[in-house]
Amino acid sequence: MNKYVSLSAADAKNIGRDPMLVLAVFGPLILAAAIRYGIRILAEWLHLTLAFDLTVYYDLILIEALLLIPLMLGVIAGFLMLDERDENLIAYFAVTPLTKSGYLLYRLSSPVLLSAAYTVFFVYFTDLVRVPVAALLPLTLLLALQAPVVALLLLAFAANKVEGMALSKGVGITMAAPLAIYLAPEPWSWLASVLPTFWIAKAYWAGMEAWNGAFFIYLAAFAIYSLLAVWLYRCYKQRND
């Protein structure tokens, strides 16, 4: 346990030295506060001045915000690991009691747990949309799976932190999936199904609408993210072995 505490303390120092990482860590809290205290004021102003009803888009706003949380946390984990790989620390951890597998477990489990905690907090704190527990639990699991997938993506395909930064911006394209589901008519919205986030967003709406096929959407989303994680882990192993 002490080895994980020591590594956590080192992480806190590393994150504290990088303003971008600090913003990413506290970003979900800032976003939650902005939505809780600002979105209804904005909705009222738009209704009074432009006769625009923002409330019909609350579901879209919520799922976009929820998808952003594991993306940010996955990027943090990926950046920390890229730094440690550049400094050859991963090879060092491999010969310590932590071991390479223990190091990877720590690095990937941290964003998973934080993503799950932030998701539940975000839904209840913002109170933007009432999400039933039956829909929230599988959604939380899927969002938690997204974080290590993002981290492994950076590790597998970025040679350094600069490349990781560019790649993380490219990952932002996946945030368009909920827009496609919400705005594009059927069956055209399914063109966005090549994006993994499509399946999380689809699962969200299936759960909210209590659709009979929601279980199969959850299963498909879980399978896609699990396969992605396995494939990216193998790519990471090939790069680091």
Side-chain angles (χ1 to χ4, degrees):
M1 182 61 70
N2 288 337
K3 54 193 176 186
Y4 293 114
V5 172
S6 299
L7 194 53
S8 298
D11 287 346
K13 291 180 181 178
N14 290 334
I15 291 171
R17 288 195 291 262
D18 191 329
M20 188 192 72
L21 294 182
V22 172
L23 181 61
V25 169
F26 294 102
L29 297 177
I30 296 170
L31 183 60
I35 289 179
R36 177 178 175 88
Y37 299 111
I39 197 72
R40 289 175 177 82
I41 296 174
L42 177 62
E44 184 177 355
W45 180 82
L46 288 172
H47 179 71
L48 292 174
T49 58
L50 303 174
F52 179 80
D53 186 8
L54 185 63
T55 60
V56 299
Y57 296 98
Y58 278 3
D59 274 310
L60 178 60
I61 293 170
L62 178 62
I63 189 58
E64 287 281 8
L66 290 176
L67 284 169
L68 189 60
I69 292 171
L71 190 153
M72 288 190 291
L73 295 173
V75 165
I76 291 173
F79 280 177
L80 289 173
M81 292 181 76
L82 285 173
D83 276 341
E84 287 160 349
R85 186 171 68 188
D86 289 344
E87 296 171 5
N88 206 31
L89 289 177
I90 296 180
Y92 164 76
F93 289 131
V95 297
T96 65
L98 182 63
T99 73
K100 185 182 289 187
S101 59
Y103 162 77
L104 187 64
L105 177 63
Y106 165 79
R107 275 282 172 256
L108 297 183
S109 62
S110 298
V112 167
L113 295 174
L114 284 173
S115 293
Y118 268 141
T119 295
V120 175
F121 165 78
F122 197 96
V123 169
Y124 286 110
F125 178 77
T126 61
D127 197 26
L128 191 64
V129 177
R130 297 296 175 91
V131 181
V133 173
L136 180 59
L137 290 178
L139 178 66
T140 300
L141 173 62
L142 292 173
L143 288 166
L145 281 175
Q146 187 185 0
V149 166
V150 172
L152 287 169
L153 177 67
L154 299 185
L155 287 170
F157 297 108
N160 50 53
K161 197 171 179 179
V162 175
E163 290 186 11
M165 181 78 70
L167 192 56
S168 66
K169 291 179 180 178
V171 172
I173 296 173
T174 61
M175 298 296 293
L179 290 171
I181 296 173
Y182 195 85
L183 300 176
E186 297 283 353
W188 299 107
S189 64
W190 285 88
L191 292 174
S193 62
V194 295
L195 301 173
T197 48
F198 171 92
W199 296 95
I200 295 181
K202 197 74 174 176
Y204 167 75
W205 271 297
M208 291 297 290
E209 296 167 6
W211 182 49
N212 291 333
F215 172 77
F216 298 102
I217 296 294
Y218 291 139
L219 190 61
F222 181 78
I224 287 169
Y225 270 89
S226 297
L227 290 172
L228 265 177
V230 170
W231 175 64
L232 289 169
Y233 173 72
R234 289 179 177 174
C235 293
Y236 159 76
K237 287 284 288 181
Q238 290 175 358
R239 188 174 193 128
N240 289 275
D241 287 344

